[in-house]
Amino acid sequence: AQKVTQAQTEISVVEKEDVTLDCVYETRDTTYYLFWYKQPPSGELVFLIRRNSFDEQNEISGRYSWNFQKSTSSFNFTITASQVVDSAVYFCALRNTGFQKLVFGTGTRLLVSP
Amino acid sequence: SAVISQKPSRDICQRGTSLTIQCQVDSQVTMMFWYRQQPGQSLTLIATANQGSEATYESGFVIDKFPISRPNLTFSTLTVSNMSPEDSSIYLCSVVLTSGMNEQFFGPGTRLTVL
C-alpha cells in the first residue's frame, strides 16, 4: 500500500525566514512519482513539482527547493526567504506508474506573517 | 500545462437533490480523475473517469451515488446524487496530459454546500 505522511500540521514563520516542509512516503514500487502542490486560500491546487523515483537530484526553482532522499523515503520542500504570499496549505503526493492513482498526505498549513 | 475548467465553480443545494459537475480540458489527456476534498481535509480519489466506459471507483464510492461520464478525451462529468450535508466538499477534476512529463494538474474545483 502507498502512504504519504506530512507530520507537520501547521507551521508559522515570520517573513524572510526559511522553512522546510517534511514529507515521508511508503511504497513497494521501485518506480514512482512524487509531487508537491500548493493550495492557497482561494482553493485551487497549484502544481509545484514532479520527481521521478530514479532521479535523486535535488531541484531548485527560485526560492523553492526540494530534497529527495530515497534512503530515508523523504521528499522535503524548502522555501527560502518566505513571503506572505507563500501562506497556503502544501500537499505532498505519491503516484505509482501503474494505476496512476495519486495518494495525498494530509497537508501542512504554512502561515507567513509580515 | 493545460487549462482545466469546471462548472459550476460553486453551488448551494438542497438535501435530496443532485448536481452535475462538468470538467473540460483544452489539451489531450491520458487520464482523468475526480477527487473530493472535505472541509479541512486532504484530497481523496473518488474514481478514474474512463473514456467511453464505466468509471473505476475507489473503495467507499459507488456509481449510484457518484455517476461519472467521459464521452471523449477532454470532457467528463461527475454527478453527486441524492445529496446530504455530508456531501458538502470541494470536488476537483484532475488530468494527466498526453504531452508532457506525467505531471498531474487539477481544475479550480467546485465548492458544494448541501443544506
Side-chain angles (χ1 to χ4, degrees):
Chain A
Q2 298 188 111
K3 184 179 178 183
V4 176
T5 300
Q6 294 180 256
Q8 304 152 309
T9 305
E10 185 169 307
I11 301 174
S12 293
V13 299
V14 177
E15 217 171 12
K16 297 184 184 176
E17 283 186 24
D18 299 346
V19 58
T20 296
L21 310 182
D22 298 332
C23 173
V24 174
Y25 62 92
E26 296 174 29
T27 181
R28 294 183 203 167
D29 296 329
T30 54
T31 304
Y32 48 89
Y33 298 99
L34 294 162
F35 297 77
W36 276 96
Y37 291 89
K38 174 182 180 180
Q39 189 174 43
S42 54
E44 77 272 21
L45 214 62
V46 178
F47 168 83
L48 295 178
I49 190 173
R50 175 195 58 88
R51 173 63 68 203
N52 301 328
S53 56
F54 47 85
D55 181 3
E56 288 195 68
Q57 278 191 334
N58 292 330
E59 182 153 341
I60 299 174
S61 176
R63 296 184 296 108
Y64 295 171
S65 62
W66 291 269
N67 184 313
F68 176 33
Q69 295 202 348
K70 265 178 123 168
S71 60
T72 56
S73 297
S74 65
F75 187 42
N76 296 337
F77 173 31
T78 297
I79 302 175
T80 303
S82 59
Q83 300 176 2
V84 173
V85 293
D86 296 326
S87 297
V89 179
Y90 291 86
F91 290 99
C92 180
L94 168 69
R95 193 181 78 205
N96 63 16
T97 57
F99 298 107
Q100 305 285 336
K101 175 181 175 179
L102 199 58
V103 175
F104 282 84
T106 50
T108 297
R109 181 178 299 277
L110 174 64
L111 300 172
V112 183
S113 54
Chain B
S1 65
V3 176
I4 307 170
S5 59
Q6 281 187 236
K7 292 181 185 178
S9 58
R10 59 177 62 226
D11 208 341
I12 300 173
C13 300
Q14 295 297 319
R15 180 196 298 261
T17 63
S18 298
L19 177 72
T20 295
I21 302 168
Q22 297 180 4
C23 176
Q24 178 74 56
V25 190
D26 71 343
S27 305
Q28 295 295 309
V29 304
T30 56
M31 306 287 286
M32 291 184 81
F33 308 91
W34 286 98
Y35 284 80
R36 181 177 75 181
Q37 186 178 26
Q38 295 177 298
Q41 303 295 312
S42 186
L43 285 84
T44 301
L45 179 64
I46 297 172
T48 302
N50 300 309
Q51 185 198 356
S53 64
E54 190 172 293
T56 305
Y57 290 85
E58 296 298 305
S59 176
F61 297 95
V62 296
I63 188 171
D64 290 345
K65 175 67 177 177
F66 296 102
I68 288 170
S69 77
R70 187 182 172 190
N72 58 54
L73 285 174
T74 60
F75 182 80
S76 178
T77 66
L78 166 73
T79 298
V80 186
S81 303
N82 188 24
M83 288 183 285
S84 66
E86 293 70 38
D87 295 319
S88 297
S89 297
I90 300 174
Y91 292 86
L92 299 106
C93 170
S94 179
V95 303
V96 177
L97 301 181
T98 303
S99 62
M101 301 294 288
N102 273 301
E103 293 94 346
Q104 187 159 340
F105 299 100
F106 285 79
T110 296
R111 193 178 296 267
L112 171 63
T113 302
V114 184
L115 303 177

